[in-house]
Amino acid sequence: MFAHSSTRRSGLLAAATLVVATGTAALAPATAFAGTPAPTDAKPLVATLEPTEGQAPLTRGGNGAALTMTVTNNSDQDQPFHPAVTVKPVGSTPSGWAWIDFNAKAISAPATYGLASWSDNSTFSGYVVPEYSMSYVPFTVPAHTTYSWAVSFKLKAALPADDTAVEVGLVNDLNDSTNSAPVTLPVASPTGALVQDFSNYSGTVSYKQPFETDLNLTNNGAAIDSTINPTLRFGNGSRPIPATLKLDVLQDDQWVTVPGSDNVWKLPPVVGGLGQGASHHYKVRLSLTDFTGAWFSDWLSLAPDTDQGPVDISVKPLVRVDGTPAPFTPTA
């Protein structure tokens, strides 16, 4: 009798243990356990980035990319989402940050802002964040809700000539979403994708010292086979400049004064044009000849248009004009 009671008690304990471990009655039929359990690494969000149907090849300074980004929260709880659109050139690595413009706006989502960032290998990341927020601030996606955004970017002339495509991807720093695969968009080469580049991006010109810099004019588009006539200017003409500057260009190891007026000068022409990816080098020197103020600063750049199309002038040097002390003038 004792042995029988002990055996029966052991069976009841085993059944109770099974109920606690599984949450299911010990005598439930086997069909109650049918089906594959959900994987433990399932992510609550599904995110996609898709180009607009009929997306044309991109052009430097022209046709850009228009894409739609969506995220769906399939869970029963609100979820954070911190997306970014990455753009990686297929070819040469751009030397700076001025090869792309980025924009993001909400379609069916909270008010949105696009912020630009770059990694060490010049891969661009356009963060999509709530309006008036820093780049690290995520969205909160309500349970069983889909948000969507319109994102776009344009390529500028600073993208190297041998980049014939860009790879566009979607990332989420919070790693709580499955993301669509990257897409590759082709890049065409229009004639006249000209870009300026200077060796110095800041400096001072005064009566005591000139400002010197190297200027490279590069064609990142299709070949230009006719003469290019670039114009260099100080300021943009929107306000009068209380200074008169002289421009010299180094030719055959000698400084040659370039004719001009109102701080605008026609540089020596690029005879024969420029091939795809080719550059033309100028070494220029600014000298101060007259000044009616104390000091001010303005930008030195090529004119944004030449007889061979537009010039990308996003990156340019800021030059400080220092008019003190004025040169000594002897009196009778």
Side-chain angles (χ1 to χ4, degrees):
M1 195 62 186
F2 180 80
H4 178 74
S5 299
S6 298
T7 302
R8 187 168 180 271
R9 186 181 300 111
S10 299
L12 291 173
L13 289 173
T17 302
L18 184 60
V19 170
V20 172
T22 65
T24 307
L27 299 179
T31 54
F33 300 99
T36 303
T40 56
D41 60 348
K43 297 179 179 179
L45 302 178
V46 176
T48 61
L49 181 68
E50 299 291 342
T52 300
E53 186 176 355
Q55 171 70 56
L58 311 183
T59 56
R60 294 167 179 82
N63 180 60
L67 307 100
T68 301
M69 183 177 71
T70 62
V71 63
T72 299
N73 181 3
N74 293 313
S75 74
D76 295 328
Q77 297 179 339
D78 295 354
Q79 300 291 339
F81 182 53
H82 187 234
V85 176
T86 63
V87 184
K88 182 179 180 180
V90 180
S92 295
T93 300
S95 59
W97 53 265
W99 57 273
I100 189 170
D101 283 329
F102 178 75
N103 185 54
K105 63 180 181 179
I107 298 176
S108 59
T112 296
Y113 185 54
L115 291 173
S117 178
W118 289 264
S119 61
D120 292 339
N121 62 359
S122 291
T123 295
F124 171 83
S125 295
Y127 282 98
V128 182
V129 297
E131 194 174 32
Y132 307 121
S133 298
M134 302 295 287
S135 62
Y136 58 82
V137 177
F139 289 95
T140 298
V141 185
H144 303 290
T145 297
T146 296
Y147 280 165
S148 61
W149 296 266
V151 296
S152 62
F153 64 87
K154 289 187 176 182
L155 303 176
K156 300 166 73 174
L159 182 71
D162 64 347
D163 284 308
T164 57
V166 291
E167 183 183 272
V168 186
L170 171 62
V171 297
N172 172 19
D173 288 348
L174 298 179
N175 198 30
D176 62 347
S177 63
T178 56
N179 304 323
S180 58
V183 296
T184 299
L185 301 178
V187 178
S189 295
T191 300
L194 297 169
V195 59
Q196 66 180 20
D197 184 45
F198 292 87
S199 59
N200 298 324
Y201 291 108
S202 64
T204 300
V205 57
S206 68
Y207 287 117
K208 293 182 178 180
Q209 66 176 23
F211 171 74
E212 294 184 11
T213 184
D214 294 289
L215 163 62
N216 287 314
L217 179 63
T218 303
N219 176 24
N220 285 329
I224 299 174
D225 57 8
S226 56
T227 299
I228 303 172
N229 295 287
T231 298
L232 189 67
R233 63 182 186 174
F234 183 64
N236 60 12
S238 62
R239 59 171 179 150
I241 293 177
T244 301
L245 302 172
K246 182 182 75 166
L247 179 72
D248 298 319
V249 175
L250 191 65
Q251 293 181 313
D252 299 325
D253 296 325
Q254 291 186 340
W255 289 107
V256 177
T257 300
V258 178
S261 61
D262 298 324
N263 299 311
V264 176
W265 307 272
K266 281 285 187 182
L267 291 172
V270 185
V271 179
L274 285 171
Q276 183 181 30
S279 296
H280 185 81
H281 172 260
Y282 296 97
K283 189 171 186 66
V284 300
R285 180 178 70 183
L286 279 180
S287 302
L288 181 61
T289 62
D290 185 50
F291 195 26
T292 59
W295 68 270
F296 76 101
S297 297
D298 216 321
W299 303 97
L300 179 68
S301 70
L302 293 171
D305 291 287
T306 70
D307 54 354
Q308 293 295 338
V311 181
D312 187 338
I313 59 172
S314 299
V315 179
K316 49 196 172 186
L318 182 64
V319 181
R320 183 178 190 269
V321 179
D322 185 355
T324 58
F328 173 73
T329 301
T331 57

